[in-house]
Amino acid sequence: MSRVALVTGGTRGIGAAISVALKNAGYRVAANYAGNDEKANAFHDATGIAVFKWDVSDYAACGEGIAKIESEIGPVEVLVNNAGITRDAMFHKMTPQQWHEVINTNLTGLFNMTHQVWTGMRDRSFGRIVNISSINGQKGQMGQANYSAAKAGDLGFTKALAQEGAAKNITVNAICPGYIGTEMVLAVPEKVLNERIIPQIPVGRLGEPEEIARCVTFLASDDAGFITGSTLTANGGQFFV
Ligand code: NDP
């Protein structure tokens, strides 16, 4: 029987590309999303991938969602923590709500999800966790103190858990995408994209969601069993760690 992969925020943007790539690689895929039913249902109709709605910032909801997937599809062997949001503001204008929403989704969401598949992965002596961080967690980004802090936190989480999971054949890795052409980035005004963002990218273009999805498929595979605690940077040469 093929492995079960769960992708948070797996119904649009980078997550949708990841869900499809994993399905094409032979996994039984479950895609989680937060609330955009229209997008999620259209994604399900187009791909046949099962979709499940809950908020990753809600620990109890994560437990219920994972239990439903495990009873309907099977034990989660690959978890891709991809769901993420932005609530950008310069720090002097950032509200506590903007701070907490981003930390709760982009950082605490990883705890909420991973904690509830971890014991099963340990018991079965196999697991693959792939966390989608960001270039802005590596270098920081003005207007994104909340997002940069959460995404940097994701990298620390990845490295700590990699050490805990290694003896049980659980790998934990992170991917740091640069600017990828999804709704999150295409919401930036076109003038800013063309005059300020794309000129910073040496390859001269935005990345494609499928380019990140191929990184995930590799890290989830048996071929990547010796890679754990790593950060895979995919940003068109914009920033080197
Ligand atoms: P999108 O905004 O296109 O899609 C976000 C997805 O996450 C949607 O499926 C959304 O569900 C889901 N989601 C958001 N909040 C929650 C939540 N609380 N619980 C469950 N699901 C949630 O994002 P991208 O595809 O652009 O980004 C995906 C990941 O990649 C994010 O973690 C982002 O930070 C990271 N990233 C993106 C970059 C980019 O250039 N696009 C660059 C670097 C990192 P719904 O559809 O229901 O709203």
Side-chain angles (χ1 to χ4, degrees):
M1 187 83 97
S2 60
R3 288 195 172 123
V4 174
L6 166 54
V7 184
T8 67
T11 56
R12 63 187 171 91
I14 294 170
I18 295 169
S19 298
V20 169
L22 289 172
K23 183 182 181 217
N24 290 342
Y27 294 84
R28 288 174 288 153
V29 178
N32 148 270
Y33 69 105
N36 192 330
D37 296 317
E38 198 181 326
K39 275 272 161 66
N41 291 334
F43 175 77
H44 169 70
D45 291 345
T47 62
I49 292 171
V51 297
F52 298 85
K53 177 163 72 171
W54 74 84
D55 178 353
V56 298
S57 71
D58 179 337
Y59 186 83
C62 291
E64 285 162 23
I66 290 165
K68 189 166 180 342
I69 288 166
E70 296 206 324
S71 75
E72 289 179 14
I73 305 178
V76 175
E77 292 159 295
V78 176
L79 170 64
V80 184
N81 284 310
N82 165 79
I85 57 169
T86 52
R87 297 286 184 269
D88 296 353
M90 293 301 280
F91 189 60
H92 62 282
K93 292 188 177 166
M94 187 173 283
T95 63
Q97 185 177 353
Q98 287 172 317
W99 172 267
H100 288 299
E101 282 180 9
V102 169
I103 298 293
N104 291 346
T105 299
N106 297 9
L107 178 57
T108 307
L110 271 61
F111 169 79
N112 293 342
M113 289 297 302
T114 309
H115 196 245
Q116 304 194 62
V117 298
W118 192 251
T119 300
M121 287 181 174
R122 282 172 51 84
D123 289 348
R124 294 186 299 274
S125 290
F126 180 85
R128 293 282 187 267
I129 312 280
V130 183
N131 298 320
I132 308 300
S133 176
S134 169
I135 183 175
N136 292 345
Q138 296 173 300
K139 70 173 186 58
Q141 174 62 43
M142 64 188 292
Q144 290 196 323
N146 49 3
Y147 186 87
S148 299
K151 292 297 188 179
D154 293 345
L155 299 179
F157 176 77
T158 298
K159 290 171 195 170
L161 269 198
Q163 295 173 49
E164 293 194 24
K168 292 287 187 182
N169 198 24
I170 305 169
T171 67
V172 188
N173 291 290
I175 298 172
C176 284
Y179 286 99
I180 308 297
T182 67
E183 285 171 48
M184 185 183 272
V185 163
L186 297 175
V188 174
E190 203 179 335
K191 191 172 156 61
V192 177
L193 262 185
N194 290 331
E195 293 179 12
R196 299 224 333 245
I197 292 181
I198 292 176
Q200 296 173 29
I201 306 172
V203 302
R205 63 173 176 84
L206 300 177
E208 293 169 7
E210 291 72 19
E211 293 180 300
I212 304 305
R214 287 194 286 274
C215 299
V216 173
T217 306
F218 172 63
L219 290 173
S221 72
D222 286 0
D223 287 342
F226 200 57
I227 302 173
T228 193
S230 77
T231 300
L232 179 49
T233 292
N235 63 26
Q238 188 184 345
F239 180 76
F240 304 113
V241 183

